[in-house]
Amino acid sequence: MSRHLDLGCGSVPRNPYARDQVFGVDIREELGENIASANLAIQAIPYPDSYFKSVSAYDFFEHIPRVVVDVAQSPSFFPFVNLMNEIWRVLEPNGLLYAITPAYPSYKSFVDPTHVNFIAKKTHEYFVGDAPMARMYGFNGRFKVVRVQRVRPRHVYEPLNSSIKQKLMNCSDMLLLKRSHMVWELSKSN
């Protein structure tokens, strides 16, 4: 039986890979069955190691701070790096992460006052390869790229094969500079 986890899911977790069971995590409490409550900026994902075949994060990464500085503590705490560690931890070997988030230089990255983590074209590179750059900040995992691309979040929220019409719309969006979001589809490496 395959399980999927949707981060920041609200009351309806998404299931982009059509897994058998769907779970969610949200900061709010009592949202429904299979939805755990946790503030993922400061708390661990409340599920065991290697529990999920896939994890998704729709318009969620931009709400997780990159750094928390506490003068009483040293060193600083890196919530986004910690979240990426947690995602890696709960994924099965070769499990998939599917994330879509507003990306720099789009104004959509900055307009919401709760956006505190600005994703750019190469941010994912800190978490992939044999020696991820985020190691210097405490990242313990390792992902490999399945797909990373700039998109307009219209007809592309799911990791499915695009129709010819969608491919034409994507070309139009690229030419008109309407691609405001980044899609990360990463696979857990061992």
Side-chain angles (χ1 to χ4, degrees):
M1 180 161 304
S2 62
R3 291 181 289 266
H4 177 77
L5 176 64
D6 189 30
L7 304 176
C9 65
S11 60
V12 182
R14 295 183 191 210
N15 187 9
Y17 296 106
R19 303 295 187 209
D20 299 323
Q21 289 185 302
V22 183
F23 296 80
V25 175
D26 198 87
I27 197 168
R28 295 172 285 172
E29 295 181 12
E30 299 180 24
L31 288 174
E33 188 176 341
N34 291 339
I35 301 175
S37 177
N39 180 346
L40 296 180
I42 57 173
Q43 295 174 303
I45 294 175
Y47 291 100
D49 296 358
S50 303
Y51 194 69
F52 296 101
K53 191 157 186 77
S54 54
V55 172
S56 58
Y58 291 85
D59 293 301
F60 179 70
F61 283 173
E62 67 272 19
H63 299 279
I64 302 297
R66 286 191 178 216
V67 179
V68 173
V69 178
D70 183 347
V71 293
Q73 283 187 329
S74 181
S76 298
F77 176 65
F78 302 102
F80 184 58
V81 171
N82 191 56
L83 176 62
M84 293 301 290
N85 272 327
E86 283 294 298
I87 292 168
W88 191 86
R89 180 186 66 76
V90 300
L91 278 173
E92 296 176 359
N94 301 311
L96 294 170
L97 165 63
Y98 181 79
I100 185 166
T101 186
Y104 174 84
S106 172
Y107 75 92
K108 292 181 180 184
S109 295
F110 306 100
V111 71
D112 184 332
T114 67
H115 289 184
V116 294
N117 183 9
F118 306 110
I119 303 299
K121 182 179 180 179
K122 295 186 177 188
T123 303
H124 72 282
E125 291 179 2
Y126 275 76
F127 305 100
V128 300
D130 291 332
M133 291 183 279
R135 289 251 190 275
M136 68 179 125
Y137 305 117
F139 180 61
N140 302 315
R142 191 170 53 131
F143 289 100
K144 60 184 174 186
V145 172
V146 175
R147 173 176 59 131
V148 173
Q149 72 183 99
R150 186 173 287 281
V151 297
R152 181 177 183 187
R154 172 187 70 180
H155 308 296
V156 294
Y157 264 105
E158 307 301 336
L160 304 173
N161 293 329
S162 298
S163 67
I164 291 174
K165 179 181 176 184
Q166 287 172 324
K167 288 178 183 176
L168 289 172
M169 286 190 314
N170 286 340
C171 287
S172 170
D173 289 346
M174 183 175 65
L175 292 171
L176 297 173
L177 303 175
K178 292 183 178 179
R179 293 181 164 197
S180 60
H181 285 58
M182 289 297 295
V183 165
W184 290 1
E185 197 168 8
L186 307 178
S187 175
K188 177 181 178 175
S189 296
N190 292 324

